[in-house]
Amino acid sequence: MNLDASPLSGTTGLVIGIALGVQLLFAVIGLVVLVRTPRERVQFGRKWPWALIIVFINTIGTILFLAIGRRPAPVDTFAPTSANAAGTVQSLYEGDQR
């Protein structure tokens, strides 16, 4: 079998190479985010189905995981303490008044 790579030279080869690179980058980003996401925040409670979706459905799988595969973080973990809030309000409104 004689494989001639000349049709893929030039612009076509460059476009295919860039598309494959972007696809690989999306898969890596999706898998890294999946590994770093706690199991409690993953939709359906399991990570392995999302890993399969990211790997086998490629770019669309990563977009699906990032869009609907994760639950938002609980709000109460980001609530400021009342002392910090009071200090911030005081520094904003009672600061240098001329």
Side-chain angles (χ1 to χ4, degrees):
M1 176 188 261
N2 186 10
L3 296 175
D4 186 18
S6 61
L8 293 179
S9 63
T11 306
T12 306
L14 181 64
V15 169
I16 290 173
I18 290 172
L20 290 175
V22 168
Q23 192 172 10
L24 180 65
L25 180 67
F26 273 3
V28 168
I29 289 171
L31 290 172
V32 167
V33 170
L34 176 65
V35 167
R36 290 184 175 186
T37 302
R39 183 178 303 250
E40 298 81 32
R41 287 190 52 212
V42 175
Q43 289 285 28
F44 312 121
R46 297 178 188 249
K47 291 186 177 185
W48 66 267
W50 286 111
L52 293 176
I53 290 171
I54 290 170
V55 170
F56 290 118
I57 304 181
N58 299 326
T59 306
I60 303 298
T62 301
I63 293 170
L64 282 173
F65 171 68
L66 294 175
I68 64 170
R70 301 176 297 159
R71 294 184 192 126
V75 176
D76 59 351
T77 60
F78 298 110
T81 61
S82 61
N84 290 341
T88 303
V89 169
Q90 183 178 9
S91 67
L92 288 174
Y93 295 109
E94 296 176 5
D96 185 28
Q97 296 180 357
R98 295 181 187 188

